[in-house]
Amino acid sequence: RIFSIALTILMGTFGTVVLVNRTNQLDYAILRQASITVDRMMWSGAWSSTEDEGFEETRNKLIEEQLEQGGYYLPFLPKHLFYTRQALSFNWGEMIGRNPALTSGVGSFEVRDIILNRLPNTLLLMGSAYLLLFFTGIPLALWVSRRNASFLDRLITFISPISSIPAWVHGVLLILLIGITVEWLPISGMYDHRPPATQIGYIEVVFRHMILPVTAILLSLYFQLVYAWRTYFLLFAEEEYVTLAVAKGVGTRTLQNRYILRPGLPYVITSFAMTLVSFWQTTTALEVVFQWPGIGYTYIKSLPHFFGESM
């Protein structure tokens, strides 16, 4: 399975590289990157003017060396395999242009540094939401499955359609109701404008800023998954070996854990894993709504907006 996943990632990245470079977009990016890198090298060196003797010749020679190192002159297949390796290793060069929204708090224009600086913020937000979903949703689904047609079971069935609403829509509603109307919680960013008195104080600050986006993620997934998991457990609860265990007088906890949860867990984990597929799409819009400094927010801020920017 690990090999098949690695092969899928490799083939997907290679296919993406080939499609993106159909109009030579990657080649053009390599050319611009080489030109900018050489200009920085030369301006920080001995040359103080472009009119100096040998400036253009030396510049062109250095650009050629940079292009050779970047795989610009390789044939089609080796070139795109080289680009794929660069993509998988986050070796994407430096950011072209200046964007304070991307470099703030990073101190570097390397694309790898920008991504690795923002990725933990996304993993913290999404990881917290999905861990809460998994470790509270399964016990609730198991409990409800043993009380079929109860008030709580009917309530979850009734409100499960709200989980079809995207997380960012829930985020907007939470901002309006809790963040603006009653002003209980912060509505944007990851930190307060004023730093806390101690380093430990950052834990409380980040926690308060996480409450609304994590709640929005849970509202967009929780009830729908609990309803689906409850259905899985109901199917296994009707098996003959469960009926036999009940007739033998097996305890309720043993019955739930060994005879219902254990055989149903692979199906539950599979359905839970499928929700992770849409993980990045959910993150992108939600982080923009809450201005959370993660990968999704960084991606949107890196796009051209056609206000004096080149496409």
Side-chain angles (χ1 to χ4, degrees):
R1 289 180 179 179
I2 294 175
F3 175 77
S4 64
I5 292 173
L7 183 62
T8 301
I9 293 174
L10 177 63
M11 294 178 61
T13 307
F14 178 77
T16 303
V17 167
V18 172
L19 289 175
V20 170
N21 206 35
R22 285 183 62 187
T23 55
N24 300 321
Q25 289 295 315
L26 291 180
D27 292 339
Y28 176 67
I30 294 295
L31 185 61
R32 289 189 65 188
Q33 188 72 64
S35 177
I36 291 175
T37 301
V38 169
D39 287 343
R40 289 176 180 173
M41 291 168 52
M42 298 193 70
W43 282 111
S44 62
W47 274 275
S48 60
S49 174
T50 58
E51 298 178 356
D52 292 347
E53 183 178 355
F55 179 88
E56 286 296 331
E57 181 180 352
T58 304
R59 181 177 182 274
N60 293 333
K61 182 180 179 180
L62 291 174
I63 289 177
E64 291 292 328
E65 293 177 357
Q66 290 289 324
L67 292 177
E68 289 181 3
Q69 295 176 5
Y72 185 81
Y73 295 115
L74 292 174
F76 177 84
L77 184 58
K79 175 194 291 185
H80 288 81
L81 287 175
F82 180 81
Y83 288 169
T84 301
R85 189 187 71 176
Q86 299 291 89
L88 291 174
S89 61
F90 286 174
N91 190 5
W92 298 342
E94 294 186 2
M95 184 181 67
I96 298 175
R98 296 292 180 267
N99 192 331
L102 302 182
T103 57
S104 177
V106 182
S108 173
F109 293 101
E110 287 283 341
V111 176
R112 181 187 334 196
D113 294 338
I114 295 174
I115 291 177
L116 295 181
N117 180 267
R118 303 299 177 89
L119 181 60
N121 299 337
T122 295
L123 294 179
L124 173 64
L125 181 65
M126 302 301 293
S128 301
Y130 277 83
L131 285 175
L132 281 173
L133 172 63
F134 187 79
F135 287 108
T136 64
I138 290 180
L140 178 60
L142 188 62
W143 189 85
V144 170
S145 68
R146 297 296 299 164
R147 293 159 180 80
N148 189 24
S150 64
F151 172 77
L152 183 59
D153 183 31
R154 293 196 299 269
L155 179 63
I156 292 176
T157 304
F158 177 75
I159 64 178
S160 61
I162 72 171
S163 294
S164 62
I165 302 174
W168 67 268
V169 177
H170 290 292
V172 172
L173 295 176
L174 289 173
I175 289 174
L176 292 175
L177 295 176
I178 300 178
I180 296 178
T181 303
V182 297
E183 299 183 355
W184 284 350
L185 294 169
I187 61 175
S188 66
M190 190 174 177
Y191 305 104
D192 293 335
H193 295 291
R194 298 178 60 183
T198 62
Q199 292 293 328
I200 300 179
Y202 279 103
I203 298 177
E204 189 267 338
V205 171
V206 174
F207 176 77
R208 287 193 298 105
H209 282 261
M210 286 178 57
I211 293 177
L212 289 184
V214 167
T215 303
I217 296 171
L218 290 177
L219 287 175
S220 68
L221 295 171
Y222 196 84
F223 300 106
Q224 190 174 25
L225 283 179
V226 168
Y227 177 76
W229 296 344
R230 160 256 189 201
T231 305
Y232 289 135
F233 294 141
L234 278 176
L235 293 176
F236 284 97
E238 296 175 356
E239 295 290 339
E240 293 181 355
Y241 61 82
V242 176
T243 305
L244 179 60
V246 173
K248 286 185 174 182
V250 176
T252 302
R253 177 170 298 182
T254 303
L255 188 70
Q256 288 182 347
N257 295 339
R258 183 175 299 178
Y259 292 88
I260 299 177
L261 178 60
R262 184 177 296 178
L265 199 57
Y267 299 91
V268 171
I269 293 177
T270 300
S271 66
F272 177 75
M274 292 302 295
T275 63
L276 297 176
V277 176
S278 59
F279 155 68
W280 298 108
Q281 299 162 340
T282 303
T283 302
T284 301
L286 185 72
E287 288 184 355
V288 172
V289 170
F290 286 98
Q291 297 183 16
W292 185 266
I295 289 294
Y297 185 73
T298 302
Y299 170 70
I300 295 299
K301 285 296 181 180
S302 68
L303 293 176
H305 304 290
F306 304 105
F307 296 109
E309 301 181 17
S310 60
M311 183 60 178

